[in-house]
Amino acid sequence: MSSRKYFCALTVSMIVGAGCCVPTYAQHKMSLQSLFDLADRQNQRIKVSEAALKAAEEGVASAKSAMLPSVEFGVQGSYTGNAFLMSRGFSTSGTTEYIVPGLGPQQVQNGKQPTPHWGNSFTAQASQVIYTGGAISSGIEMAKLGRQLAELDVEKNRQEVRFLLTGYYLDLYKLQNQLQVIAKNIELTEKVIEQMKARREQGTVLKNDITRYELQLQSLLLTKTQLDDAQKIIRHQISTAIHLPEGEDFDVDTQSLEQESRALKTLTSEGEWQQTAAENNFGIRQASLATELSEQKIRNTRAASLPSVAVVAENNLAGPYTSDLIPKNANVNVWFVGIGVKYNLSSLWKNKHAIRKAKHENIQADERVQLAREGVENGVQACYTNLLTSSVEVSTQEKQVELANQNYTVVRNRYDNDLALLTDMLDASNMKLSADMALVNARINMLYNYFKLKYITNTL
C-alpha cells in the first residue's frame, strides 16, 4: 500500500471517536476561520503592516510627482542703504567720469550718492525636467516595488497571525480533550474507591489500598486544575490577538476541526504541495521583488553619472534699480526662457564604486531568491513527512488505547476476584490514562502538521 493511501486510511480512524469536548467557559462556538476573520480586522500586528502599506502607496504618488513641473514664487522687501562712489584709486574726493547713454561722458562727484531706500522683488520661476538619465522613472519603479513588498508584508503577517492562532486553537482543543479524558478517569477512580470502601467493610480490602487510590484521585484533580489554568492562559492569548471584547468568550467548534480532518483524506502529493509553495510562499515572492528592486537601484545609481536637462522660465520684477552708477527709483521687469543642463563631472570617477556596489547587491538578491526556495522546499518536505509520520502515530496510539482498555478490564476483573495485587490495578489504570492522553496529543499533532503545511505554502 502506498504511503498516501495508507495515510488516508488512517485519517478515517482518527476522526472516529474524536468527539466533542465538555465546554468549560463556552458562550458560543467559534471556528478557526471566524478567528481568522476577526484577526484580519482587529489584530494589531496586521494593522501596523496595513499602515505601512498606505505609506508605501503615498510613496508611489510622491515618486510620480517628480515628473510634474516645479513652480517657485519669491517675494522680498528690503531697505537699501546709500550708495558710495569712489574713484578706481579708492579716493572719496574729486569726481568720477560717468558715461550717460545719449549724453556722453559726465562727471559725478565722489562720495555718498542719493539712493532710494525701500526695495521690493517679485520672482516667479517654473522648470520642467525633460531628462534625468532614468533617475525619475527608476525612482517610480522602486516606489511601486516597495508598495508590492508592503502588500506582501501585510499578507505575510496575516499568515503568521493565522498560524499563531491555529496553534492556540489546537492547544485549546487538546486541553479540552485532555480534560475529557481526566474527567472520565476521575469518574472511574471515584467508582473504584466507592467499591473498595464497600469491600473494606466486608474486610477484604485494607485501608492502605484505599489510600493509594485516593492519592491517585488527588493527582487527577491536580491535573484537572492545571489543565483548567492552562485553558485560561490560552483563551487570554487568543482574546488579546483578536481583541475580543472583555467578558466575551467562545468554545472550540469541533465540527469545523473534524471537517479539516476529513480534508486530509484528499491530501495531495508532496510534489503538488511543493508547486503550491513555489507559487505562493511570500518569502520567495518578497525575495524576487527584492531582486527587481536591486536592478532599479543599479539604474538609479547610473543616472547620477548622466546629465540632467530641464526647461526653465523665470520672471523677475524688482526695484529700485541699483545696478547703475546712480540708482534709479524704478521697478525693472526681466524674464527669460531657456534650457538648463546640469552635469556632475566628478561622478565619472566617484560614482563607479556605487555602481559596482549596486551590482553586487543585485547578485546577492538573486542568491537570496535561491536560498528562499531551498528553505521552503526543505520545509515542505519535512512537514509533509511529519504529517505522514503523525498519521502512523495516531493509528499506533489508537491500538495502544484499545490494548490499555483491554488490559485494564482484565486486571480489574482479576483484582475483583483477588487474583491481582493493588499495584497491578494502579499500573493498569495509569497505563490507560497515559494511552488516552497520548492519543489526544497524537490527533492534535496530526492536525497541527497539516495546518503547518498550509502555512508554509501560505494557503492557510
Side-chain angles (χ1 to χ4, degrees):
M1 182 181 290
S2 67
S3 61
R4 179 182 174 185
K5 291 182 179 178
Y6 180 58
F7 169 80
C8 294
L10 290 174
T11 56
V12 177
S13 60
M14 187 276 291
I15 297 168
V16 177
C20 296
C21 303
V22 178
T24 306
Y25 305 93
Q27 292 181 353
H28 59 87
K29 292 184 181 295
M30 184 178 292
S31 67
L32 196 53
Q33 185 59 51
S34 298
L35 289 182
F36 292 166
D37 293 339
L38 282 173
D40 288 346
R41 295 193 302 268
Q42 300 178 175
N43 182 265
Q44 198 62 37
R45 182 174 179 178
I46 295 175
K47 287 182 179 180
V48 170
S49 58
E50 287 176 342
L53 173 59
K54 292 180 180 179
E57 290 172 348
E58 291 299 326
V60 175
S62 177
K64 289 181 177 180
S65 66
M67 301 178 64
L68 301 175
S70 297
V71 180
E72 297 179 6
F73 290 96
V75 178
Q76 180 179 328
S78 62
Y79 178 85
T80 305
N82 289 321
F84 201 89
L85 183 65
M86 293 177 287
S87 66
R88 291 302 302 267
F90 298 100
S91 174
T92 58
S93 60
T95 60
T96 296
E97 187 177 86
Y98 170 54
I99 299 177
V100 179
L103 297 178
Q106 303 290 324
Q107 297 296 321
V108 179
Q109 184 68 38
N110 290 335
K112 183 184 297 185
Q113 304 296 320
T115 304
H117 294 301
W118 299 105
N120 56 267
S121 176
F122 303 94
T123 303
Q125 185 186 70
S127 61
Q128 173 64 61
V129 176
I130 56 177
Y131 179 74
T132 60
I136 294 179
S137 59
S138 64
I140 294 173
E141 289 303 316
M142 288 169 65
K144 289 181 178 179
L145 290 171
R147 179 184 60 191
Q148 293 180 45
L149 285 170
E151 290 173 348
L152 287 179
D153 194 50
V154 172
E155 295 302 320
K156 184 178 180 180
N157 281 327
R158 282 177 180 165
Q159 287 289 311
E160 291 178 353
V161 170
R162 287 184 174 193
F163 187 57
L164 177 68
L165 288 173
T166 299
Y168 289 154
Y169 197 78
L170 292 179
D171 283 342
L172 189 60
Y173 184 45
K174 178 172 66 175
L175 289 170
Q176 290 184 352
N177 277 293
Q178 288 178 343
L179 278 169
Q180 185 182 30
V181 172
I182 291 296
K184 289 180 179 179
N185 278 270
I186 289 175
E187 181 182 358
L188 183 61
T189 303
E190 288 175 343
K191 288 182 179 180
V192 172
I193 292 175
E194 290 177 2
Q195 292 174 357
M196 294 179 72
K197 286 181 178 180
R199 294 179 63 185
R200 183 174 183 274
E201 292 179 355
Q202 298 173 1
T204 58
V205 172
L206 298 176
K207 172 65 175 176
N208 186 48
D209 295 339
I210 298 176
T211 302
R212 288 187 179 185
Y213 256 89
E214 287 178 339
L215 287 173
Q216 185 181 19
L217 177 60
Q218 292 302 315
S219 177
L220 290 171
L221 292 173
L222 175 60
T223 302
K224 180 180 181 301
T225 300
Q226 291 171 338
L227 293 175
D228 284 333
D229 291 342
Q231 271 203 103
K232 292 178 182 178
I233 294 173
I234 295 296
R235 288 177 181 278
H236 182 268
Q237 290 172 332
I238 294 176
S239 297
T240 301
I242 62 177
H243 289 256
L244 274 182
E246 186 175 355
E248 184 175 343
D249 211 341
F250 66 94
D251 186 24
V252 173
D253 185 358
T254 55
Q255 290 184 353
S256 65
L257 287 179
E258 289 174 6
Q259 289 175 358
E260 293 290 350
S261 299
R262 285 192 288 271
L264 292 173
K265 292 187 294 183
T266 58
L267 186 71
T268 56
S269 65
E270 180 185 342
E272 293 181 17
W273 283 102
Q274 292 285 6
Q275 182 65 29
T276 301
E279 294 173 355
N280 296 302
N281 183 267
F282 293 123
I284 296 176
R285 293 166 65 185
Q286 286 181 323
S288 299
L289 284 177
T291 301
E292 296 181 33
L293 185 62
S294 64
E295 292 173 355
Q296 293 298 329
K297 285 182 178 179
I298 294 175
R299 290 186 56 195
N300 193 269
T301 306
R302 283 175 174 167
S305 299
L306 299 173
S308 60
V309 182
V311 176
V312 182
E314 182 175 328
N315 187 84
N316 188 291
L317 175 64
Y321 183 72
T322 58
S323 298
D324 206 345
L325 182 63
I326 300 177
K328 296 178 176 59
N329 190 20
N331 287 321
V332 178
N333 188 78
V334 178
W335 65 272
F336 71 86
V337 176
I339 295 178
V341 179
K342 182 188 290 186
Y343 182 63
N344 184 3
L345 188 62
S346 63
S347 64
L348 292 175
W349 60 85
K350 287 184 177 181
N351 203 39
K352 61 181 181 179
H353 298 292
I355 295 175
R356 290 175 185 172
K357 178 176 179 290
K359 289 181 178 179
H360 285 301
E361 289 176 345
N362 178 248
I363 295 174
Q364 183 186 32
D366 285 333
E367 295 298 334
R368 282 179 176 169
V369 173
Q370 183 60 32
L371 181 62
R373 287 175 178 165
E374 290 177 359
V376 171
E377 192 273 337
N378 287 334
V380 171
Q381 189 275 337
C383 194
Y384 190 86
T385 302
N386 289 335
L387 186 56
L388 295 177
T389 303
S390 63
S391 69
V392 176
E393 183 182 2
V394 168
S395 178
T396 303
Q397 293 299 334
E398 287 176 341
K399 186 63 177 178
Q400 289 186 355
V401 168
E402 180 183 349
L403 294 174
N405 287 335
Q406 292 176 1
N407 179 66
Y408 180 81
T409 301
V410 171
V411 174
R412 174 72 183 273
N413 289 333
R414 294 184 63 188
Y415 180 76
D416 290 341
N417 294 315
D418 297 325
L419 297 176
L421 300 175
L422 178 62
T423 53
D424 296 330
M425 184 72 172
L426 288 171
D427 288 342
S429 179
N430 289 331
M431 186 182 299
K432 181 180 183 307
L433 174 62
S434 177
D436 288 339
M437 297 291 275
L439 178 58
V440 168
N441 293 338
R443 286 172 173 167
I444 300 302
N445 186 52
M446 186 176 179
L447 274 175
Y448 176 80
N449 284 325
Y450 174 62
F451 282 118
K452 186 176 181 179
L453 190 57
K454 296 181 71 174
Y455 166 68
I456 293 176
T457 58
N458 290 144
T459 56
L460 187 60

